[in-house]
């Protein structure tokens, strides 16, 4: 077969309203409003820069069925650029943008094909840029928002191609965090005869299976605090023997992240603010020059807990924002743009960073100027702190918290009993195949450390209940 390269993207959600903007300054609101369009431009640039032969987009091109004129024009502009470079585009519509509703009229390039709705998937040939055949691409678009039936039976490979790629907007194996549209089982996809299932609908990046590949790329741009981390697409290289290599390309314009700072070991607000700034600095440096919407989480035990309870977090958040507003990107130090391994052993490639201002710096705290600079806006401060624990005092108390501490100390002197308790606690999770794999892949932590952490946590919770 002829080797080829394609990009798999999904869930563009052009025209999506952003959440978490309460109290944000104008340039932060403006940056979020432009983020999806920036991510689309980066997708186009990625396809051109990496020499993709074609692009597949697995549903939810637009965020809503009415499809704003601006969103449609942006997509038409992107696809026209790809067409001019000889890059084909294959796309389906999903639950957010089903077919059949009124929309603006744009003449699509001949190299763009949007699959129709129906029970049987149609297919189209995909070619390399030099005109040699690459694969057959298949797809079924939604004709209504809520598609409750399984669409997989309508996908059947046709004769005449060495590689078959299927676009499907669906919930595989019933992910409870997403609507059960076009529900199907992974086992059905594996047995359908396709080499690559290009999925959409789930907004997190997942490789459900390899050979055949069953892949969710996630969405291009995070839209709220529940969609954290890098967002983008997969660059897929197919070699002459049918081998596939997936490279994740981060394309998000604004990245939603969370960071943590502990109150342990500090007794005054100045040191706490310094610690919070250090945490923000690390997170901002990891974003590759992008703007960041950040949730700051305060945790740990210490004397500041009582003052945070009395004063609340609003004033602390306001002071933190003011301090961050004095930073520039130069304060963060250099940022590496290498290719560290991403999740599932995939390559995580940097690049596509936001452009800086005239001095190459990006303002932080949400107070930079509007000349295309990056920024960090702390949109939420979450306090999960607790008072200091006096374990020796608790061990002498006639209370549930005291009993928890005494039990932990007895087990600390009894290695066999400690291991038996850990085995008993983990046994229900080890019966679940997914949880078992997760536990087996984690860096091992000794039973002694786990016991110490659990005892402190349980004693703290019980002390709070008994207070």
């Amino acid at each position: 077969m002829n080797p080829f390269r394609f990009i798999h993207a999904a869930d563009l959600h052009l025209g999506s309203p952003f959440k978490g903007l309460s109290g944000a300054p104008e340039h932060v609101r403006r940056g979020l409003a432009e983020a999806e369009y920036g991510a689309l431009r980066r997708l186009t640039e990625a396809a051109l820069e990496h020499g993709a032969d074609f692009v597949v987009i697995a549903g939810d091109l637009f965020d809503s069925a009415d499809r704003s004129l601006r969103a449609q024009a942006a997509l038409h502009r992107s696809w026209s650029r790809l067409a001019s470079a000889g890059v084909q585009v294959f796309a389906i519509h999903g639950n957010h943008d089903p077919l059949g509703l009124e929309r603006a009229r744009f003449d699509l390039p001949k190299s763009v094909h949007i699959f129709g709705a129906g029970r049987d998937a149609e297919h189209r040939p995909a070619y390399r840029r030099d005109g040699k055949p690459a694969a057959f691409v298949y797809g079924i678009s939604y004709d209504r928002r809520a598609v409750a039936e399984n669409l997989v039976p309508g996908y059947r490979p046709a004769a005449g191609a060495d590689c078959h790629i299927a676009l499907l907007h669906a919930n595989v194996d019933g992910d409870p965090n997403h609507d059960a549209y076009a529900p199907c089982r992974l086992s059905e996809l594996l047995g359908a005869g396709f080499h690559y299932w290009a999925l959409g609908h789930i907004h997190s990046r997942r490789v459900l299976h390899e050979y055949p590949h069953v892949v969710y790329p996630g969405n291009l741009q995070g839209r709220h605090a529940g969609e954290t981390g890098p967002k983008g697409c997969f660059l897929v290289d197919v070699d002459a023997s049918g081998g596939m290599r997936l490279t994740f390309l981060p394309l998000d314009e604004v990245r939603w992240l969370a960071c943590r700072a502990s109150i342990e070991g500090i007794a005054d607000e100045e040191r706490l603010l310094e610690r919070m700034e250090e945490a923000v600095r690390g997170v901002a440096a990891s974003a590759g020059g992008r703007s960041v919407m950040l949730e700051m989480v305060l945790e740990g035990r210490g004397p500041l807990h009582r003052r945070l309870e009395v004063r609340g977090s609003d004033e602390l958040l306001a002071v933190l924002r003011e301090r961050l507003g004095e930073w520039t990107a130069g304060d963060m130090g250099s940022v590496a743009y290498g290719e560290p391994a991403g999740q599932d052993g995939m390559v995580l490639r940097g690049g596509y960073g936001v452009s800086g201002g005239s001095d190459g710096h990006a303002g932080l705290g949400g107070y930079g100027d509007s000349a295309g600079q990056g920024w960090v806006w702390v949109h939420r401060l979450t306090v999960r702190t607790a008072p200091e624990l006096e374990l020796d005092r608790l061990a002498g108390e006639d209370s549930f918290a005291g009993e928890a501490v005494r039990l932990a100390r007895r087990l600390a002197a009894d290695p066999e009993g400690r291991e038996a308790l850990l085995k008993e606690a983990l046994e229900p999770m080890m019966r679940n195949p997914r949880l078992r794999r997760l536990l087996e892949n984690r860096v091992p932590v000794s039973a002694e450390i786990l016991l110490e952490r659990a005892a402190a946590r349980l004693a703290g919770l019980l002390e709070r209940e008994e207070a």
Side-chain angles (χ1 to χ4, degrees), residues 230-250:
K231 299 293 182 178
C233 69
F234 276 120
L235 179 69
V236 184
D237 286 288
V238 183
D239 63 30
S241 64
M244 294 188 177
R245 179 174 183 267
L246 276 62
T247 302
F248 176 71
L249 303 178

Side-chain angles (χ1 to χ4, degrees), residues 422-440:
L422 179 62
K423 183 177 180 180
E424 179 184 353
L426 293 179
E427 196 273 335
M429 289 184 281
M430 296 300 285
R431 290 200 300 264
N432 183 299
R434 291 185 179 179
L435 290 176
R436 183 173 66 251
R437 286 196 298 271
L438 178 64
L439 290 170
E440 290 171 348

Side-chain angles (χ1 to χ4, degrees), residues 145-164:
R145 179 175 177 84
V147 173
E149 63 269 20
N150 185 352
L151 299 178
V152 175
Y155 285 80
R156 293 179 293 275
D162 294 322
C163 184
H164 301 275

Side-chain angles (χ1 to χ4, degrees), residues 332-355:
M332 293 187 296
S334 60
V335 179
Y337 285 87
E339 295 186 0
Q343 64 178 37
D344 304 313
M346 300 170 293
V347 173
L348 180 65
R349 181 165 296 174
Y352 308 105
V354 298
S355 58

Side-chain angles (χ1 to χ4, degrees), residues 381-423:
L381 176 60
T382 301
V383 178
R384 295 175 182 164
T385 60
E388 289 183 292
L389 270 182
E390 300 177 38
L391 295 180
D392 290 337
R393 175 182 61 79
L394 288 174
E397 285 186 357
D398 182 17
S399 63
F400 285 117
E403 181 57 33
V405 174
R406 290 190 291 274
L407 173 61
R409 291 183 172 180
R410 288 196 299 271
L411 289 172
D414 179 12
E416 291 184 2
R418 190 168 62 236
E419 292 293 338
L421 178 63
L422 179 62
K423 183 177 180 180

